[in-house]
Amino acid sequence: MEFLDFNVLIGGEAGQGLQTVGEAFSRALVRSGYRIHVTQTYESRVRGGHNVFAIRFGAKEVLAPTEKVDLLVALNGETLFLHRQEMAPGGQALADEAWEIPEGISAVRAPYKSLSGNGFANTVAMGVAGALLRIREEVLAGALEQILGKGKASLAEANRRVLSSAYRWSKEHCTELEVPSPGAQAVPRIVLNGHEAVGLGAISAGVRFCAYYPMSPSTSVAMTLVQWSKEMSIIVEQAEDEIAAINMAIGASFAGLPSLVPTSGGGFALMVEAVSLAAVSETPVVILIGQRPGPATGLATRTEQADLEFVLHAGHGEFPRAVFAPGSIEECFHLTRKAVELAEKYQGPVFILTDHFLADSYRDVEPFEVEDLDCVLPGEEPGAIPEGGYARYAITPSGVSPRLLPGVSRHLVVADSHEHTEKGHITEDLSLRPKMVEKRLRKYQGLAQEVVPPSFSGPQDPELLLVGWGSTKGALQEAASLLSRAGRKTSVLHFSQVWPLVDAQFLERLKQAKTTVCVEGNATGQLARLIRRETGFKFPMQVSRYDGLPMTPEYILARLARQ
Amino acid sequence: MVNIEQYGDYKTSWCPGCGNFPILKALKEALVGLDLEPHQVLFVSGIGQAAKAPHYINGNVFNGLHGRSLPVATGAKLANPGLVVVVESGDGCMYGEGGNHFLAAIRRNIDLTVLVHNNQVYGLTKGQASPTSAQGFVTRAQPDGVFSSPFNPIAVAVALQAGFVARSFAGMGEHLVEMIQRGIRHRGLALIDILQPCVSFNHVNTYDWYRKRCKPIGPEHDPRDWEKAMALSLKWGEEIPVGVIYQNDRPAFEEHFAVLKEAPLLGRKVDKRALEHILEHYA
């Protein structure tokens, strides 16, 4: 079998600098001409426990995590025991010479202590592993220096020295591993994780305000905005609670700043009241929900796709909404942009569903062409509207009313959470009520016309059609290609927008396939249920994963084999 | 010159004799006195009879959810620091449902003027106890009398070193106008707790009851003396001090955002060159 990709798994305790070497390694691999895919798993603790930073790399695009480890970089002895079952045939481990090596594992035993001098075991591992993987020392050093940032010069220098001696040791004592040849990358590629891509997409779309309450895994979106807040003139506020966060965003948006609220299921539960405030007051707001396993606090640092139904139904009363579910880094960027645009255009709440896996998954992408990207600028020119005649909620055929901003002209802007008149004032006129309900619901027609259709890949008349949404995209694609190679004609239908659903975009595909399987990171098959409710189509088979780990091609194949 | 007609005259849904009427009148007079035009002002409110007040006055309005006026007002002020933002709500909305936001807004010291119509009872839901109801206050919902100790908004605000803390009474028109004007002029969060009779559900704290007790604070009190203000904030009973209890010059929250120093963010396009530069960081 051709040698397509290689999986390096770095394992150790929280606090051992796993993230630093992981990120540096990722960049060094991309700079060496590889495509990468990173999966991180960790426990809900600041120090200790067992964390994993797995980088799968190859010359061509790497779509998904894999369960087989080619090089196990152990930062502690426990890692060797925890992952010994996952070693690929011919796989190697990298360990300290002092540690016990479990039976059946072939390990390079490096003198961590003598090479590190002062406790940079992570840098030693990076140096030794980098040489094993045939990465050039300057590339490794450059990437590490960039990740360590503009911190203490002495620290960077010390790391550089450790890296160098470890690299030299590896060259002198070890045999390089067989790795895929790097590809020739025409454009230098950038390395982003899902939530960095969401944050940058939001910035590029014109988001100027973000309020949040820290919660894993969504905090990283806010941190990306904080990181660039000065350069891009963005206000980011850590609110007293989630309720405040979304209400602040609604206030900022009402007064003219496109706003983003990142949270997770538990935080979103607190925000639900304000989702319907955004809807009735017709105030744009983008809410990102980084899914993690529930109910309640669930598994705080693991992954799941179980909040689709919650987000779909969150908020009292009836109102239109759009729900995006990006499946790749590019989609994280572009669909966040689209979410911001739709929120502004249709003046209401728009959702983005990511999850822990996608949030932390680094991949290489082509740099985005910034020049061609539009940004939103809320508020219209009052034009010919007479001063006293402005009606914030004027009843229109599209349901979208002209939006002026308070304090920008002499027009008065009145918004209300109650049912209201066209001018925004509280009313109990029950003949007006249906007109206002219908006006708001008419926005649904516009939203439906702008739905991103599900992507279809593979043969047009598949024997098997794998259907999924959000972060499982890569696993679905890889599973389909493995099945096809094994002689089972398989295609993939992936939803990166899960609401509204437009039958015409996918129903024929479902009916044409000999058999269909809905693959989801939840126990009850929420997308399958939604499609059945909306179209009557019932999936004959489902694959569900809800153990807190991301969907992998191997998992899909194993489950299919069982059915 | 701005005149009071510009602020309109609306039919309300309040009970005849409600303390909301004189508060609304004082608010209009205060704004006219400051020569502010309706479009320069944003009224933000929550839910309750007091929170309906912005519907009965000309201005920009965001009438949001119960207890959530302060975060909405905070977001709006940051979006457009040029707006004069007046937050109007009752005691239940501000001190009960919105308690956490009340504490956080004071700590932020954002430049808002917070008018709390404090009638010590829930009016809109027909007479249950509120956070400021006195112990022993009997209602249909609390037939054995209120057990919890009352929330003291003035003491809490002074304890947290709010920018400006004042108390007034709906029955003292001129005093109230002056307090509102000083609150609006103050750069930072201004709390004006306004004692307000509820003619329908609070038969204890009536106009007469307050008239007998409310006593303007004399010039001998220095509102910048925190310890004296703290002591004064605890005074309640046969004599209730009204006036400015505490004031300081903490910088307003919006001043701490470097990005707001040059100009408001409103209407600014994305700086694409800066964004390109940022993307290079990820290479």
Side-chain angles (χ1 to χ4, degrees), chain A residues 435-447:
Chain A
K435 295 191 182 93
M436 279 295 170
V437 171
E438 288 155 15
K439 165 197 143 55
R440 290 189 289 266
L441 288 178
R442 276 200 295 280
K443 295 182 189 179
Y444 178 79
Q445 291 157 16
L447 284 169

Side-chain angles (χ1 to χ4, degrees), chain A residues 6-240:
Chain A
F6 193 97
N7 194 28
V8 186
L9 188 147
I10 311 169
E13 285 180 19
Q16 284 193 307
L18 197 85
Q19 172 92 19
T20 308
V21 279
E23 276 187 52
F25 230 126
S26 303
R27 289 204 189 190
L29 284 162
V30 172
R31 288 176 192 180
S32 305
Y34 290 109
R35 313 289 305 273
I36 59 156
H37 181 289
V38 169
T39 312
Q40 295 189 64
T41 57
Y42 41 89
E43 296 176 16
S44 181
R45 53 195 289 173
V46 177
R47 292 199 182 276
H50 180 66
N51 293 0
V52 165
F53 194 106
I55 313 166
R56 191 177 176 201
F57 68 92
K60 294 204 175 112
E61 188 182 14
V62 188
L63 295 169
T66 181
E67 290 171 9
K68 285 277 170 237
V69 179
D70 298 296
L71 174 62
L72 177 64
V73 179
L75 298 185
N76 61 3
E78 191 193 10
T79 295
L80 299 166
F81 287 87
L82 288 170
H83 297 279
R84 64 179 190 272
Q85 308 290 353
E86 296 157 29
M87 297 305 293
Q92 278 278 340
L94 168 60
D96 182 42
E97 59 183 1
W99 297 337
E100 183 195 342
I101 308 292
E103 210 178 306
I105 282 204
S106 155
V108 169
R109 308 181 63 151
Y112 278 21
K113 282 217 175 65
S114 65
L115 288 170
S116 73
N118 210 2
F120 299 110
N122 57 342
T123 309
V124 171
M126 181 170 175
V128 177
L132 288 175
L133 298 175
R134 306 167 184 233
I135 305 173
R136 282 167 40 223
E137 190 190 337
E138 312 87 82
V139 177
L140 286 174
L144 183 62
E145 198 177 341
Q146 194 185 2
I147 299 299
L148 291 174
K150 296 185 182 102
K152 268 194 221 156
S154 58
L155 184 77
E157 183 49 38
N159 269 287
R160 179 76 182 81
R161 271 201 308 273
V162 170
L163 184 78
S164 192
S165 61
Y167 195 89
R168 231 176 308 125
W169 181 90
S170 187
K171 287 281 179 209
E172 284 162 17
H173 296 85
C174 312
T175 316
E176 289 175 346
L177 299 173
E178 284 301 317
V179 291
S181 312
Q185 309 297 348
V187 200
R189 302 178 72 86
I190 58 174
V191 179
L192 293 175
N193 67 35
H195 277 180
E196 285 172 337
V198 165
L200 294 172
I203 292 172
S204 76
V207 163
R208 294 280 180 187
F209 187 87
C210 168
Y212 73 103
Y213 187 86
M215 185 170 187
S216 179
S218 62
T219 316
S220 51
V221 173
M223 291 306 106
T224 302
L225 296 177
V226 168
Q227 192 181 354
W228 307 117
S229 61
K230 289 202 172 68
E231 287 87 343
M232 298 309 295
S233 298
I234 300 164
I235 293 177
V236 185
E237 175 61 1
Q238 181 181 319
E240 55 271 27

Side-chain angles (χ1 to χ4, degrees), chain B residues 167 175 215-222 232 240-245:
Chain B
R167 179 189 281 132
H175 184 265
K215 192 179 165 224
I217 297 164
E220 72 285 354
H221 174 66
D222 174 8
L232 193 61
I240 301 172
V242 294
V244 179
I245 291 167

Side-chain angles (χ1 to χ4, degrees), chain B residues 130-188:
Chain B
S130 90
T132 52
S133 296
Q135 274 178 313
F137 181 65
V138 175
T139 76
R140 259 170 52 190
Q142 285 82 20
D144 301 326
V146 169
F147 177 80
S148 304
S149 60
F151 181 77
N152 181 337
I154 303 284
V156 170
V158 175
L160 292 173
Q161 308 205 328
F164 178 97
V165 185
R167 179 189 281 132
S168 191
F169 163 46
M172 296 168 69
E174 274 176 45
H175 184 265
L176 183 53
V177 170
E178 189 202 329
M179 289 302 113
I180 295 173
Q181 288 182 336
R182 286 175 68 175
I184 290 175
R185 276 198 219 103
H186 177 80
R187 202 160 156 64

Side-chain angles (χ1 to χ4, degrees), chain A residues 27 31 146 191-192 208 228 233 237 240-241 243 248 251-252 255 273 371 373 410 413 415-418 425, chain B residues 37 39 55 60-61 63-65 68 71-72 75-76 100-101 104 108 253 266 268-269 272 279 281-283:
Chain A
R27 289 204 189 190
R31 288 176 192 180
Q146 194 185 2
V191 179
L192 293 175
R208 294 280 180 187
W228 307 117
S233 298
E237 175 61 1
E240 55 271 27
D241 56 32
I243 299 171
M248 258 182 217
E273 149 190 72
E371 200 49 46
L373 302 177
R410 297 185 63 88
V413 185
D416 195 3
S417 66
H418 298 89
H425 286 291
Chain B
E37 297 203 53
H39 74 276
H55 286 292
N60 298 293
V61 174
N63 178 199
L65 298 169
R68 315 298 172 211
V72 170
N100 194 22
H101 310 311
R108 284 193 186 95
F253 182 61
L266 202 67
R268 275 204 227 170
K269 284 194 178 156
K272 291 189 178 176
L279 286 177
H281 172 91
Y282 293 90

